[in-house]
């Protein structure tokens, strides 16, 4: 894999509506409780407004800045030009070097380990096979050589991820 050895990345992949966001959302508190600093990257095909029209950071980007960061006492927001292709490994190296784990939602073509959420109600055909290390699924017959976890088996999924991070 192409990412730094000190930081692990796992992409949570699957069809739309399969439960990727919900899985990440429920895993985050468990992984945090285990002592990990976890960052997330989400990929979307939809156009999203990242900055507020007319505000200072928007004005800086419109004036030609390749990146603009808004910093408050509690948080920061970065709006930056995106190089193609959209590689979560490179993004994690650049922006999340202090994280122990980066969970990347979607990015089924990324060069990293992947856990697929495969729900029969959405599809019975996996989105990914390269880099696949486990399935969170209600379909037993798919990739039987890989670890399978039930859709609601949060504790064992978290333990599996922790084992991956500690390798």
């Amino acid at each position: 894999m192409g990412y730094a050895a000190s930081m692990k990345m796992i992409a949570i992949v699957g069809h739309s509506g399969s439960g990727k966001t919900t899985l990440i959302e429920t895993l985050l508190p468990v992984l945090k409780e285990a002592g990990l600093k976890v960052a997330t990257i989400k990929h979307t095909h939809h156009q999203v407004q990242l900055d507020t029209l007319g505000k200072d950071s928007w004005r800086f980007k419109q004036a030609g800045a390749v990146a603009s960061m808004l910093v408050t006492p509690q948080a920061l927001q970065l709006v930056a030009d995106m190089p193609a292709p959209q590689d979560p490994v490179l993004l994690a190296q650049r922006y999340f070097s202090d994280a122990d784990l980066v969970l990347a939602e979607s990015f089924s073509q990324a060069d990293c380990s992947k856990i697929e959420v495969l729900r029969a109600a959405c599809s019975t055909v996996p989105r990914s096979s390269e880099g696949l290390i486990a399935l969170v699924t209600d379909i037993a017959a798919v990739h039987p050589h890989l670890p399978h976890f039930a859709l609601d088996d949060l504790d064992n999924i978290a333990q599996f991820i922790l084992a991956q991070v500690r390798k």
Side-chain angles (χ1 to χ4, degrees), residues 47-59:
Q47 184 67 29
V48 177
Q49 182 65 36
L50 297 176
D51 208 355
T52 305
L53 180 70
K55 290 295 191 179
D56 296 350
S57 55
W58 178 88
R59 291 170 56 193

Side-chain angles (χ1 to χ4, degrees), residues 33-161:
E33 178 69 26
L36 293 184
K37 290 183 353 187
V38 184
T40 63
I41 301 175
K42 178 173 173 75
H43 180 267
T44 183
H45 295 286
H46 306 289
Q47 184 67 29
V48 177
Q49 182 65 36
L50 297 176
D51 208 355
T52 305
L53 180 70
K55 290 295 191 179
D56 296 350
S57 55
W58 178 88
R59 291 170 56 193
F60 297 151
K61 279 293 290 151
Q62 296 305 304
V66 295
S68 181
M69 184 180 291
L70 174 63
V71 180
T72 72
Q74 297 83 20
L76 67 85
Q77 176 182 1
L78 172 69
V79 179
D81 293 344
M82 180 66 197
Q86 299 160 345
D87 184 344
V89 174
L90 295 176
L91 291 170
Q93 288 172 339
R94 184 170 185 175
Y95 299 110
F96 297 138
S97 61
D98 62 337
D100 300 313
L101 171 65
V102 176
L103 294 177
E105 182 176 335
S106 297
F107 294 103
S108 59
Q109 302 303 314
D111 180 22
C112 65
S113 299
K114 298 175 189 78
I115 296 174
E116 178 149 357
V117 181
L118 184 62
R119 184 182 301 270
C122 296
S123 178
T124 58
V125 179
R127 280 192 67 91
S128 191
S129 60
E130 189 172 320
L132 202 57
I133 59 172
L135 286 114
V136 176
T137 186
D138 55 3
I139 306 170
V142 176
H143 295 302
H145 60 287
L146 292 174
H148 281 75
F149 301 97
L151 296 165
D152 61 354
D153 191 4
L154 184 62
D155 290 336
N156 284 320
I157 298 166
Q159 290 306 313
F160 178 80
I161 290 173

